[in-house]
Amino acid sequence: MSVKINKKYIHGQWSSRWAFILAATGSAVGLGNIWKFPYITGENGGGAFVLVYLFCIAAIGVPIMMAEVMLGRAARQSPINALTTLAKQAGASKLWRLLGWMGVTAGFLILSYYSVIAGWTLAYVFRSASGAFSLVTADGVRSMFTGLVSDPERLLAWHTIFMVMTVVIIARGVRGGLEQAVRVLMPALFVLLLVLVGYAMNTDYFMAGVRFMFTPDFSALSAAGVLTALGHAFFTLSLGMGAIMIYGSYLPKDASIAVTSVTICLADTMVALLAGLAIFPIVFANGLEPGAGPSLIFQTLPLAFGQMPGGIFFGTLFFVLLLLAAWTSAISLLEPAVAWMVENHNVDRIMAASFLGLLTWLLGIVTIMSFSDWAFSFNFLGSDEPKTSGMFDVLDILTANIMLPVGGMLIAIFAGRVMSEKMTKQELGIRAPGAYALWAFLIRYVSPVLVLIVLLGLFGFFGFVAKLFGI
Ligand code: TRP
């Protein structure tokens, strides 16, 4: 009996198209936009990186988001089961199920470090509220940050709190509460970013920031940088692991997949660009290093909040909103795994969420230790300089730069080549003439081929071929 109720619960629907847009935007907008986008833009030299990233969003992100929503809605199941069912319907190999498994694994790995970074945000809520940023210097901010990340016990406490917050919401079911939360959160975050951009405009360095972000200098971009831009397009849109697929499985039949997908992608991109416009002028005004890495926003924003009028209020509010944005993203990272456990293993959501949350929490400890005792230096595939911090970088590159693009490429192949045209046409329900053909072209040729080229480039494939032919 309980199984029946659970299944019905899982396969319920969003109350409207807007509810889906809000939830999916909640998943997409997160630490990826405000924490990660600025620091990887800084590490990869600015303009050229941003251009490649924007191209990847438009040519690869939008069509693959449409494909994920479509697969979810067509099957109305968690990603692993959705792919199993759809592959059967299409008479394709059972192995497509493994794509669902890879997604669940990627979500679990990402959440393990995502939660640690969300923990930093939580720490900064309290620091800001206590007035610790008032008139602080660049050196002061730096030692504040180092003090936090080199203290595993404190990091563990914040990581634990964040994981508990996430598990509680997932256990209660992702619909309902999430809609209301995102409805308030997103506009508020947007306004606060505008406040920060307004502050940045008064620093004399605003144009330096704009130039850094929008003047492409391709000599500053390496092959590994191109892959980072591609991987980040997947990461920031929550694509390639089934998060958008499972949210799509709750989407009402009559909603337009194309319009909703484009709306979500636009909103997500706006937030990232605003974050960059807020942060880089502060970086240059204070003589900081744009390539500082994961600490970038934690070293720049406190300086701004420490100087602006009402900084304690704005600073605290900002980190609270960032925390909430990370929360609505974290939920979607675990939801495919939880839904699968409920569907296939006769457990309730509370059990499934607690069990998977505990596993994620344990793995998070690896990331925590990688910022202090377990830090090591390594040189990963094609990166120019060895990175020091160890497992955090390994997990980040493995998931964002490899698993998500590979997952996205396979999703594109599945939607564009395995499923029948009749089925995708009907499910997408695009009415505008030529629009379906454009989607089909992007999903069949552009997305999979571009992803493949970038991945092969990373593994040194082209150099190898060139050598083979003595070029
Ligand atoms: N998109 C989120 C961010 O930018 C992170 C995220 C949530 C995610 N769900 C995901 C990334 C699924 C990849 C896959 O912060």
Side-chain angles (χ1 to χ4, degrees):
M1 185 64 203
S2 73
V3 181
K4 245 191 173 151
I5 293 170
N6 282 330
K7 288 220 164 182
K8 213 170 134 214
Y9 190 37
I10 279 225
H11 304 306
Q13 279 190 6
W14 301 107
S15 59
S16 69
R17 175 169 70 102
W18 264 106
F20 167 75
I21 294 185
L22 286 168
T25 309
S27 164
V29 175
L31 294 171
N33 304 63
I34 293 170
W35 161 72
K36 193 172 182 190
F37 172 74
Y39 95 72
I40 56 178
T41 299
E43 283 180 339
N44 288 287
F49 178 85
V50 174
L51 204 64
V52 173
Y53 159 80
L54 290 175
F55 174 80
C56 291
I57 295 277
I60 302 174
V62 174
I64 291 186
M65 179 172 288
M66 288 172 63
E68 270 205 36
V69 178
M70 176 191 79
L71 296 180
R73 191 170 73 174
R76 292 229 180 272
Q77 281 167 317
S78 71
I80 296 177
N81 292 332
L83 286 160
T84 313
T85 310
L86 294 173
K88 206 175 193 177
Q89 265 174 26
S93 163
K94 269 194 183 147
L95 289 178
W96 280 105
R97 181 164 91 241
L98 296 181
L99 172 55
W101 274 105
M102 185 172 81
V104 165
T105 313
F108 164 71
L109 295 178
I110 294 174
L111 184 55
S112 78
Y113 66 78
Y114 202 84
S115 168
V116 174
I117 313 293
W120 298 357
T121 312
L122 197 49
Y124 272 65
V125 168
F126 290 94
R127 290 183 167 185
S128 182
S130 73
F133 301 154
S134 294
L135 299 176
V136 72
T137 60
D139 278 341
V141 183
R142 189 169 312 123
S143 64
M144 209 187 273
F145 179 79
T146 321
L148 175 66
V149 296
S150 56
D151 183 345
E153 279 157 33
R154 264 200 287 168
L155 290 187
L156 185 63
W158 297 122
H159 165 58
T160 308
I161 295 173
F162 186 80
M163 275 313 299
V164 169
M165 285 168 61
T166 304
V167 164
V168 167
I169 294 291
I170 301 180
R172 292 179 47 196
V174 298
R175 282 163 290 114
L178 195 59
E179 285 182 46
Q180 271 80 38
V182 181
R183 208 182 288 270
V184 185
L185 169 68
M186 284 303 143
L189 188 63
F190 209 76
V191 170
L192 220 72
L193 279 171
L194 287 177
V195 170
L196 276 170
V197 173
Y199 170 85
M201 282 179 170
N202 286 320
T203 53
D204 291 344
Y205 285 84
F206 187 65
M207 283 323 289
V210 171
R211 242 177 281 127
F212 181 74
M213 278 181 70
F214 297 109
T215 321
D217 167 13
F218 279 91
S219 66
L221 189 62
S222 62
V226 173
L227 180 71
T228 304
L230 173 77
H232 189 64
F234 285 99
F235 187 93
T236 190
L237 296 174
S238 303
L239 295 177
M241 57 73 65
I244 294 294
M245 204 185 292
I246 195 145
Y247 280 9
S249 76
Y250 312 133
L251 182 67
K253 273 284 173 222
D254 53 357
S256 156
I257 291 180
V259 175
T260 47
S261 300
V262 170
T263 312
I264 297 160
C265 293
L266 279 177
D268 185 81
T269 307
M270 289 281 285
V271 173
L273 293 179
L274 281 178
L277 285 176
I279 285 159
F280 286 112
I282 305 172
V283 168
F284 296 125
N286 293 282
L288 298 168
E289 177 56 49
S295 63
L296 188 66
I297 68 161
F298 296 98
Q299 296 204 17
T300 48
L301 295 182
L303 289 171
F305 292 127
Q307 288 160 13
M308 69 171 69
I312 294 189
F313 172 75
F314 285 125
T316 310
L317 187 60
F318 176 83
F319 284 109
V320 167
L321 292 173
L322 182 57
L323 176 72
L324 296 177
W327 197 20
T328 56
S329 299
I331 291 164
S332 74
L333 282 163
L334 207 55
E335 175 66 11
V338 169
W340 175 79
M341 268 190 89
V342 175
E343 282 171 5
N344 293 37
H345 288 285
N346 196 12
V347 291
D348 58 18
R349 289 191 68 94
I350 300 180
M351 265 298 289
S354 314
F355 171 72
L356 291 165
L358 188 68
L359 283 185
T360 319
W361 176 81
L362 276 174
L363 186 64
I365 294 174
V366 172
T367 291
I368 290 179
M369 297 308 288
S370 82
F371 289 108
S372 51
D373 295 12
W374 296 353
F376 61 85
S377 231
F378 79 109
N379 196 338
F380 202 83
L381 297 168
S383 61
D384 307 324
E385 336 161 2
K387 301 206 168 203
T388 33
S389 100
M391 278 315 283
F392 164 70
D393 284 307
V394 174
L395 282 174
D396 176 36
I397 294 174
L398 176 68
T399 53
N401 293 13
I402 297 178
M403 291 176 91
L404 298 181
V406 170
M409 179 176 73
L410 293 174
I411 287 169
I413 293 173
F414 190 86
R417 293 170 186 268
V418 174
M419 283 177 79
S420 71
E421 182 160 330
K422 181 161 162 266
M423 173 128 188
T424 54
K425 218 174 209 160
Q426 187 193 4
E427 191 65 50
L428 285 174
I430 303 178
R431 274 180 291 272
Y436 178 81
L438 176 64
W439 175 80
F441 174 71
L442 291 172
I443 209 81
R444 280 184 201 148
Y445 303 102
V446 180
S447 334
V449 173
L450 285 182
V451 173
L452 195 66
I453 292 178
V454 177
L455 284 174
L456 288 179
L458 178 82
F459 286 97
F461 179 78
F462 300 116
F464 174 73
V465 172
K467 243 193 238 142
L468 210 61
F469 290 96
I471 307 172

